[in-house]
Amino acid sequence: MKNRKLTIPMLLMFVITFASLGSITVAQQRPATAPINLVAGVGGPVSTSSQWENYSALNLIAGAFIFPAVSTVKTTVLYIGFTAGTEADLGNMVLYTTKRGNTKITAVTPVKLKGVSDPIISLTNKKVCPTQPISTSNPCVIRLDPIALTPSPLSDYYFVMYFGENSNNAAVGAANSQYPITSLTGWYESGDQTRLTVGSQIPAGYSGSHPYFLLYVMNN
């Protein structure tokens, strides 16, 4: 009887310990926090614009419209959209930082897709664009590589994509916001506008219209 009385408390301690370990395991396996918008992205239907050969798309992510929750964000992820074309041949992608309301560049950050800033994107590949053919009804949304950046409301950010002198780019279609329900704005300039350095000015031409290609700015 004496041995039996000792065994029961020991068994209870084992059960409690095992349950505690099980709780720790479950907590460690919880899914990551769902992605959140850092600014008001493009919602609703999209329109299109083409003829991007030897043109740069410039998109403003204004500090005035960055959500307050962004202060806890460690990475920024840009999503771009295409509505037409077979292949997009990018010459370069970059993110310029300026002081809020200013156009003098204070930082230059490379933007990459799968580790390169000049990717070739096959728009007819179902692994890249699952719904074929792509169109304004079925835009192809591409998630770019995360950038180690916490956006600040004290700064403005300019995401610039340059499409090289390649006939494929003439047929590429940019996904544009059809309605003015986004805080993102943009314009375009001829030539490569992605090679500017710190101290340079953002190219003139800002018109406050819809963004070109850039659809969402998120934390993941």
Side-chain angles (χ1 to χ4, degrees):
M1 288 293 294
K2 184 176 181 180
N3 290 340
R4 186 178 179 183
K5 289 181 180 179
L6 288 173
T7 302
I8 292 174
M10 290 175 65
L11 179 61
L12 289 174
M13 288 177 63
F14 174 78
V15 171
I16 293 170
T17 302
F18 181 80
S20 299
L21 290 174
S23 299
I24 293 172
T25 302
V26 170
Q28 290 173 340
Q29 294 178 346
R30 286 176 183 172
T33 304
I36 60 172
N37 286 301
L38 307 186
V39 297
V42 174
V46 298
S47 58
T48 187
S49 60
S50 56
Q51 299 293 331
W52 285 96
E53 183 178 4
N54 196 32
Y55 273 89
S56 294
L58 298 91
N59 296 276
L60 170 60
I61 306 166
F65 299 114
I66 294 175
F67 295 147
V70 170
S71 59
T72 61
V73 168
K74 302 301 182 182
T75 59
T76 298
V77 179
L78 307 178
Y79 290 78
I80 57 176
F82 297 86
T83 56
T86 58
E87 181 178 290
D89 298 317
L90 281 93
N92 195 31
M93 297 186 294
V94 71
L95 186 73
Y96 296 127
T97 303
T98 70
K99 291 183 179 180
R100 180 169 163 176
N102 200 308
T103 57
K104 184 178 180 179
I105 297 172
T106 59
V108 179
T109 305
V111 179
K112 301 179 179 181
L113 174 62
K114 295 185 178 180
V116 298
S117 291
D118 57 348
I120 296 175
I121 304 174
S122 176
L123 301 174
T124 56
N125 187 336
K126 287 190 175 182
K127 292 182 179 180
V128 179
C129 306
T131 304
Q132 294 288 334
I134 64 173
S135 64
T136 53
S137 299
N138 299 304
C140 177
V141 180
I142 306 291
R143 178 184 183 272
L144 301 180
D145 295 352
I147 305 167
L149 172 71
T150 300
S152 168
L154 301 178
S155 299
D156 290 333
Y157 303 90
Y158 294 83
F159 171 53
V160 186
M161 306 165 61
Y162 171 61
F163 293 84
E165 295 186 75
N166 186 307
S167 59
N168 289 326
N169 291 330
V172 166
N176 309 326
S177 178
Q178 188 170 333
Y179 302 119
I181 52 177
T182 174
S183 63
L184 301 170
T185 55
W187 70 105
Y188 54 86
E189 293 286 334
S190 62
D192 188 354
Q193 305 296 334
T194 66
R195 308 293 176 177
L196 304 179
T197 58
V198 171
S200 301
Q201 297 287 331
I202 296 296
Y206 174 63
S207 61
S209 62
H210 55 69
Y212 291 91
F213 295 100
L214 183 61
L215 298 177
Y216 315 110
V217 180
M218 307 185 79
N219 69 323
N220 197 350

